C-alpha cells in the first residue's frame, strides 16, 4: 500500500505522522503505525485516514499532500465520514487540469446548498473557500450553459472621499478592491479567456454600487465581503435577482470594516431572511480553513482571545 499511495519519498506519510502525532514507517507495501505516547486513538485515526486515502487511489482519484490534512480534520470531527464521497464532488476542472472539490463537510454542504437554492449565504472566517468555491460553481454553470453570464461584485468601503485621492481613472481606482475576485477567476480560466469574457460582457466584475437599478436575469451573481455592506446596500443587491439567476453572498462577520456605528447588511440579512424559502445560510468555522494549517490556528487563537474579553 505504501509504495502505491505515498511514492518513494513518503511525503504523505511524513505529513500524516506530524499531523496526528504518530510514527509511521513503510516496509514494502505495508505501513507500520505507532503512537509514541501509547495513544491508541491516534493510531486508529491514522489507520482510518490511510485506508480511506488508499481506497481513493484504487478508484483512480489523485491524492495531494494537502488532502492528508483535510482527511484528518474531517475524520476527527466525524469518524463515520466517507472521505472519498466528500472529495469526489468535483465542482470544476481548472485550466491547470486540477479539479476543485470540497475539502470539508461544511464545504460539501455549501456546494449542495448552492446547487439546490436560488440564494445562498456563506458566512465564516477567511480561508474557508467561501468565495473560491462560489466562483468555481459560477464558472461551471457558465461552461454548462446553465447561465449566460457571471457577475462578481463586492463593496468598496473606501468608495467615498478616500477613493478620490487614489491615482488613475475609476477602473484603476476600484480594481484593488476587486483583486481577490480576479485571483479566483484566473485560477479557473486562462487569462486570455477571462479577458475575452470580460470584453464581451459574459463576465462582469464591478463594485456593488454598479448593481443599483438593474435586474439580473440568467446570471450567476456573487457578492463578496458582504459584511461590509450597509442594510440598504444589501437590500438593493438582494432585489436585483432576476429569472434564471442564482446568487451567492459571502462574508466574515468578524471582519467588518464599516464605521463603528454603522450596521452590517449581512448581519441584518441573517436575521431578516432566516427561514425564508429558497434562501440557505451555511456557516463555516476554523475547522473549514483550507489555507496553510497555521491560518486555522490563528483564527482559533483570535476567537479565543476575543471571547475572553481581554
Amino acid at each position: 500500500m505504501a509504495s502505491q499511495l505515498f511514492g518513494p519519498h513518503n511525503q504523505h506519510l511524513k505529513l500524516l505522522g506530524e499531523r496526528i502525532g504518530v510514527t509511521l514507517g513503510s516496509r514494502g507495501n505495508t505501513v507500520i503505525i505507532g503512537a509514541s505516547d501509547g495513544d491508541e486513538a491516534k493510531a486508529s485515526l491514522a489507520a482510518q485516514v490511510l485506508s480511506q486515502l488508499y481506497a481513493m487511489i484504487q478508484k483512480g482519484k489523485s491524492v495531494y499532500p494537502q488532502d492528508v490534512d483535510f482527511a484528518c480534520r474531517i475524520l476527527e470531527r466525524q469518524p463515520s465520514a466517507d472521505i472519498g464521497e466528500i472529495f469526489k464532488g468535483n465542482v470544476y476542472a481548472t485550466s491547470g487540469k486540477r479539479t476543485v472539490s470540497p475539502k470539508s463537510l461544511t464545504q460539501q454542504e455549501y456546494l449542495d446548498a448552492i446547487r439546490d437554492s436560488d440564494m445562498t449565504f456563506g458566512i465564516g472566517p477567511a480561508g474557508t473557500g467561501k468565495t473560491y468555491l462560489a466562483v468555481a460553481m459560477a464558472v461551471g454553470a457558465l461552461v454548462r450553459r446553465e447561465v449566460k453570464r457571471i457577475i462578481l461584485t463586492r463593496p468598496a468601503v473606501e468608495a467615498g472621499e478616500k477613493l478620490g485621492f487614489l491615482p488613475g481613472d475609476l477602473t484603476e481606482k476600484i480594481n484593488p478592491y476587486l483583486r481577490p475576485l480576479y485571483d479566483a477567476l484566473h485560477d479557473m480560466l486562462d487569462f486570455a479567456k477571462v479577458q475575452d469574457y470580460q470584453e464581451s460582457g459574459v463576465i462582469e466584475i464591478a463594485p456593488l454600487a454598479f448593481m443599483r437599478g438593474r435586474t439580473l436575469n440568467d446570471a450567476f451573481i456573487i457578492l463578496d465581503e458582504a459584511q461590509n455592506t450597509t442594510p440598504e446596500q444589501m437590500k438593493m443587491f438582494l432585489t436585483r435577482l432576476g429569472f434564471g439567476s442564482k446568487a451567492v453572498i459571502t462574508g466574515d462577520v468578524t471582519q467588518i470594516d464599516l464605521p463603528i456605528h454603522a450596521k452590517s447588511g449581512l448581519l441584518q440579512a441573517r436575521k431578516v431572511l432566516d427561514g425564508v424559502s429558497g434562501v440557505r445560510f451555511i456557516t463555516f468555522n476554523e475547522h473549514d480553513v483550507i489555507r496553510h494549517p497555521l491560518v486555522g490556528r490563528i483564527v482559533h487563537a483570535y476567537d479565543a482571545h476575543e471571547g475572553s474579553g481581554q
Side-chain angles (χ1 to χ4, degrees):
M1 181 173 80
S3 60
Q4 296 180 54
L5 177 56
F6 301 108
H9 302 296
N10 286 339
Q11 180 185 16
H12 293 67
L13 278 181
K14 180 181 178 182
L15 290 172
L16 179 59
E18 292 176 349
R19 172 64 176 76
I20 297 180
V22 297
T23 58
L24 296 170
S26 61
R27 183 177 300 166
N29 286 337
T30 301
V31 175
I32 302 171
I33 305 172
S36 57
D37 58 359
D39 192 336
E40 294 301 322
K42 292 181 179 180
S44 177
L45 175 60
Q48 191 177 8
V49 172
L50 287 170
S51 177
Q52 293 211 32
L53 293 181
Y54 181 59
M56 289 172 57
I57 290 293
Q58 288 184 308
K59 294 178 181 178
K61 175 76 174 180
S62 297
V63 174
Y64 301 99
Q66 60 266 32
D67 291 336
V68 174
D69 183 60
F70 299 147
C72 290
R73 297 188 201 185
I74 293 171
L75 291 173
E76 282 173 339
R77 297 177 65 191
Q78 187 170 327
S80 61
D82 187 331
I83 301 301
E85 284 296 312
I86 295 173
F87 285 5
K88 81 174 184 180
N90 293 338
V91 180
Y92 183 71
T94 70
S95 57
K97 304 302 182 182
R98 291 188 60 184
T99 57
V100 179
S101 59
K103 299 301 182 183
S104 74
L105 295 168
T106 309
Q107 285 193 352
Q108 183 184 43
E109 184 183 5
Y110 180 55
L111 295 177
D112 289 341
I114 294 174
R115 292 188 184 98
D116 299 338
S117 306
D118 290 333
M119 185 175 292
T120 302
F121 286 77
I123 302 174
T128 50
K130 305 181 301 295
T131 303
Y132 195 85
L133 289 174
V135 172
M137 290 289 282
V139 172
L142 181 66
V143 170
R144 294 188 299 271
R145 299 185 178 181
E146 296 172 359
V147 296
K148 294 181 180 178
R149 55 182 171 157
I150 296 173
I151 299 173
L152 309 174
T153 185
R154 69 188 312 194
V157 176
E158 292 85 352
E161 295 181 0
K162 293 181 181 179
L163 194 58
F165 288 104
L166 294 175
D169 58 21
L170 178 61
T171 300
E172 292 171 328
K173 290 175 187 290
I174 63 177
N175 269 347
Y177 303 102
L178 305 174
R179 180 51 53 190
L181 295 174
Y182 281 105
D183 290 343
L185 199 56
H186 287 146
D187 267 1
M188 312 293 165
L189 297 169
D190 294 328
F191 185 83
K193 192 69 172 178
V194 173
Q195 285 189 313
D196 289 343
Y197 277 151
Q198 285 191 262
E199 290 173 1
S200 62
V202 174
I203 292 179
E204 179 181 351
I205 305 178
L208 181 58
F210 285 30
M211 299 298 109
R212 191 174 299 278
R214 303 172 63 183
T215 300
L216 306 173
N217 295 316
D218 300 312
F220 198 116
I221 315 154
I222 299 173
L223 170 59
D224 191 34
E225 298 289 333
Q227 75 275 6
N228 290 326
T229 62
T230 64
E232 294 77 17
Q233 287 175 325
M234 178 62 78
K235 182 179 179 181
M236 178 274 291
F237 172 80
L238 297 179
T239 54
R240 299 308 94 200
L241 193 68
F243 291 105
S245 291
K246 187 181 291 287
V248 179
I249 300 94
T250 69
D252 178 0
V253 295
T254 68
Q255 295 190 24
I256 297 174
D257 299 319
L258 293 168
I260 295 177
H261 299 295
K263 294 182 179 179
S264 168
L266 180 58
L267 289 174
Q268 185 190 66
R270 187 163 61 178
K271 295 178 181 178
V272 173
L273 301 179
D274 184 35
V276 173
S277 178
V279 179
R280 289 282 305 277
F281 287 87
I282 305 298
T283 302
F284 297 83
N285 58 39
E286 72 272 11
H287 298 292
D288 302 302
V289 172
I290 57 170
R291 293 178 180 173
H292 191 287
L294 179 59
V295 175
R297 296 196 293 272
I298 290 173
V299 171
H300 179 75
Y302 269 94
D303 287 345
H305 176 75
E306 292 167 2
S308 68
Q310 297 180 358

